[in-house]
Amino acid sequence: MTQHLEIYRKEGEFVAWPANYGMWIWGDEVVVVFSQGFRGEQESLHARDKTRPFIGRQARSFDGGLSWSDELFTGTIPGGTSLSGDEHVVEALQSQPNIVVERDIPVLDQPIDFTDPETIVMCARTGLDAGSISWFYVSRDRARSWQGPYRLGDFGLPGVSARTDIVPLGQHDALFLLTAVKANGDEGRIFAARTRDGGRSFTFESFVGDEPEGFAIMPASLLLPGGDILTFVRCAAPRGPERGAWIDLYRSSDAGKSWRQVGTPVPQVGHNSNPPTINRLADGRLVLVYGYRDAPYGMRARVSSDEGATWSDDIVLRDDGGVADLGYPRTVVRADGKLLTAYYYNYGADTDRFIGATLFSV
């Protein structure tokens, strides 16, 4: 049975993009982070008011996602007030021009224990193009407080546009899958960075795939029981009337030093593309969730029983979206085995953008 829920919705607001930040679960307690702005005129995709900031908000549930309360995101945002939102606001509200990295984004002082279930890490950024700056936050109290921003570095790249995608490899050892700005200054391509000292320093490990003509961004990664890593990538061809968009899958057998493409789990996600979210169930099956941005607009899932070698047909979670301005999911698995996926949604071009959720089983 599929159950649809509303996490956060207020008249006149544009709230969106859980995929940029994260969602975590501890028993029946769930937290999801997103951006909150205001609705404006409908553009080619988004209908947001770019003259007002997009601030960080989060929602919390104590009953496995059935009911929610909302909170402000308490982390310090360098350079301004918009969290990962420079591309969504006018220049006067953008953070990047005001940031001096050495002054505003220090190196982490207390190492992260990536094996501690009470410790969570969230990545953030300024924008998407050349010069983009990224950082991360740490919470050790279930997102009630956030420490940071802390420095990721630029890795000698034209820019780094980080969303949260972290694969723990040991107590102080983790792989961060991040998006780099391409050589021409546009977004983007995926690369892997590794910390071996709990987030105090990072090394560039590898690019994931060749530099694309369009973009390959917003990875969602998973460590398999045998030690291999799967990384699912949001891909799109260059913009145009017949633009294609899909989700590719890469696999690493050497902790992210090299990658091989092993398939395209979702060959079409809609003209505007949408990022994946991936989870592994107790029985070993993988569940991939994404927003579908062509009519009928909505949320879909696919399932693999062989570590991503083959995939089911689409499972339509819902198809009642009004326009393509939706998706960007994050998913957690509850103790009862049900999946809870959060995303942003709409019922039409002139309606609010809100954070919804679907509780389902496969």
Side-chain angles (χ1 to χ4, degrees), residues 96 125-134 154 158-161 181:
Q96 186 172 312
R125 60 182 169 79
T126 53
L128 303 174
D129 301 324
S132 293
I133 300 165
S134 292
D154 61 18
V160 177
S161 301
V181 175

Side-chain angles (χ1 to χ4, degrees), residues 8-17 34-43 45-57 72 81-82 85 88-90 93 325 344 349-354:
Y8 178 95
R9 183 178 185 180
K10 291 189 178 180
E11 184 177 353
E13 292 191 354
F14 185 115
V15 291
W17 311 307
F34 50 92
S35 280
Q36 178 253 315
F38 294 88
R39 194 155 53 86
E41 292 186 9
Q42 180 72 51
E43 299 178 356
L45 177 60
H46 300 308
R48 77 278 202 219
D49 183 350
K50 299 178 74 171
T51 69
R52 302 170 76 175
F54 274 88
I55 65 170
R57 294 201 75 90
L72 275 174
T81 57
S82 291
H88 296 295
V89 295
V90 296
L93 293 176
D325 199 5
Y344 85 108
D350 296 327
T351 65
D352 302 321
R353 305 304 189 260
F354 64 94

Side-chain angles (χ1 to χ4, degrees), residues 276-290:
T277 174
I278 186 69
N279 294 84
R280 184 176 183 273
L281 300 179
D283 62 10
R285 288 181 298 161
L286 305 181
V287 183
L288 175 68
V289 180
Y290 62 97

